[in-house]
Amino acid sequence: MRMECAIIGGGPAGLNAALVLGRARRQVALFDDNQPRNAVTKHTHGFMTRDGAKPEELRSLARQDIKKYPTVRTIAKRITGVMPILGGFRLQAGDGSLYECRKLLLATGLSETLPDIHGIRQYYGRSLFNCPYCDGWELRDQPLVVIAEGSNAFSLTRLAYQWSRNLLVCTNGSMRALTGEELQLLQRKGVAVSHDRIKELAGSEGMLRAVAFENGGSSKRTGGFVSPYWRHASPLGELLGCRMNESGGIETDALGRTSVYGVYAAGDASVIAPAQAVIAAGEGSRAAIGMNSDLAREDFA
Ligand SMILES: Cc1cc2nc3c(=O)[nH]c(=O)nc-3n(C[C@H](O)[C@H](O)[C@H](O)COP(=O)(O)OP(=O)(O)OC[C@H]3O[C@@H](n4cnc5c(N)ncnc54)[C@H](O)[C@@H]3O)c2cc1C
């Protein structure tokens, strides 16, 4: 099967790209294996007209929008291989089926690994989150923990301070997460810091109650933020040789074009940092405009 555009990833970035390309009357295949990063959470906040919507509800509404456009096919498969061919790309799905396209959008998102702390998974997405803009409002003015083992410990804490002044920063044994200057500033602001290793998180049904340390101490905390380790959910960008940006995401220009001709990227895959659904959707739209205008230019010549 050969189409004009293939989109890999059916999150906000890929779905919005499919919508724009469908409306541009392009032959599109949207591949998705339905493993979004935000599947752990119950609500998506900060998306206009849909503030608080369930992540799956948002995707389902987007899929309904796309159904109006007959040139868009949604294919529930994982793409496991991609290779350049004359005038485009050949994709291989997990079941061995092959597809060809002229332009390819990588909207594959991220996957994340949480710090190695007993019980942390059950709280993530319920009372422990990675992005204050997404979930800070729900945690406002509560006693919060900020779990960060890396050099972003200070910036995440400074941000979290906007939502609660009752903060405990836990570096989980990492002595290098905060500089001396940062420690002084946190102290001046009344933010507590612990370098002790966390033994476990206590609570029930995803709602945090306390952080227990290996040294026997504990602190009552009803929620907080954690800094996960992010990586690409799919290696396809690297396999194609796309240049990466400073954050480790796929580098793009203002219309989503990567360093490899005919390959575009949008959403979390292009920025390895806490991002938002509405930004991913916007980037999907932008990349779709890039793909369509490049096809128009090539075909009009
Ligand atoms: C706990 C948590 C809470 C969040 N809360 C909010 C919030 O309140 N508000 C907000 O705006 N944002 C929130 N986010 C962030 C938001 O979910 C992401 O920024 C957004 O989903 C990124 O969209 P995307 O399309 O780039 O990637 P994703 O939504 O991750 O979608 C990528 C899709 O690509 C598919 N895929 C990957 N590789 C392949 C492949 N090889 N073949 C086929 N399919 C593939 C995946 O299965 C997935 O369906 C939250 C994230 C988390 C983890």
Side-chain angles (χ1 to χ4, degrees):
M1 177 184 161
R2 185 168 174 104
M3 55 261 165
E4 291 174 302
C5 305
I7 299 169
I8 308 179
L15 287 163
N16 218 107
L19 178 62
V20 172
L21 288 168
R23 290 180 52 77
R25 310 173 75 189
R26 293 292 177 189
Q27 297 290 333
V28 180
L30 170 65
F31 298 92
D32 185 50
D33 69 350
N34 202 25
Q35 302 288 324
R37 188 165 68 91
N38 63 358
V40 294
T41 193
K42 287 188 180 299
H43 305 283
T44 300
H45 299 110
F47 197 117
M48 68 169 194
T49 77
R50 292 290 179 272
D51 186 34
K54 292 184 176 62
E56 180 44 37
E57 182 189 355
L58 210 58
R59 289 160 70 104
S60 158
L61 286 167
R63 285 193 290 264
Q64 279 173 38
D65 284 344
I66 290 166
K67 276 196 184 134
K68 287 187 285 191
Y69 303 97
T71 56
V72 182
R73 276 188 62 188
T74 302
I75 302 173
K77 289 183 184 178
R78 183 165 184 85
I79 296 299
T80 51
V82 55
M83 62 180 290
I85 54 171
L86 193 64
F89 301 91
R90 178 173 297 135
L91 313 180
Q92 179 161 20
D95 62 2
S97 49
L98 297 172
Y99 303 85
E100 288 180 8
C101 64
R102 289 175 62 190
K103 303 291 178 200
L104 174 63
L105 173 61
L106 301 173
T108 43
L110 297 177
S111 71
E112 50 199 1
T113 307
L114 296 172
D116 186 15
I117 295 169
H118 184 68
I120 196 167
R121 263 277 146 207
Q122 61 175 295
Y123 301 101
Y124 189 55
R126 302 293 306 278
S127 55
L128 209 54
F129 302 92
N130 70 77
C131 166
Y133 293 106
C134 297
D135 298 288
W137 173 260
E138 284 64 35
L139 298 178
R140 66 194 184 281
D141 297 328
Q142 296 181 35
L144 303 181
V145 63
V146 176
I147 302 172
E149 299 172 335
S151 59
N152 66 341
F154 182 74
S155 56
L156 181 57
T157 309
R158 187 173 52 194
L159 210 54
Y161 191 79
Q162 172 64 15
W163 283 272
S164 174
R165 303 282 150 107
N166 187 345
L167 295 177
L168 167 66
V169 189
C170 293
T171 67
N172 194 30
S174 164
M175 299 304 292
R176 282 188 284 183
L178 293 162
T179 65
E181 204 178 318
E182 289 168 346
L183 281 166
Q184 273 179 14
L185 202 48
L186 291 172
Q187 200 180 18
R188 277 215 297 279
K189 290 287 186 185
V191 173
V193 176
S194 167
H195 291 302
D196 296 320
R197 284 195 70 83
I198 296 171
K199 183 174 166 227
E200 63 175 348
L201 302 180
S204 65
E205 295 182 4
M207 304 317 287
L208 186 67
R209 223 178 32 242
V211 180
F213 296 98
E214 284 184 357
N215 67 6
S218 80
S219 174
K220 283 187 182 168
R221 300 282 124 186
T222 54
F225 300 101
V226 56
S227 178
Y229 299 94
W230 287 287
R231 62 175 194 284
H232 288 276
S234 157
L236 297 174
E238 281 140 340
L239 288 177
L240 282 161
C242 295
R243 199 159 49 230
M244 300 293 153
N245 56 33
E246 276 177 9
S247 72
I250 300 171
E251 183 183 290
T252 62
D253 74 3
L255 282 178
R257 300 180 189 97
T258 71
S259 58
V260 176
Y261 187 78
V263 180
Y264 304 72
D268 282 2
S270 64
V271 49
I272 303 240
Q276 288 216 298
V278 73
I279 296 174
E283 286 188 8
S285 174
R286 197 172 68 162
I289 291 169
M291 293 163 90
N292 182 60
S293 50
D294 290 346
L295 284 167
R297 196 185 55 245
E298 287 170 16
D299 293 345
F300 211 73

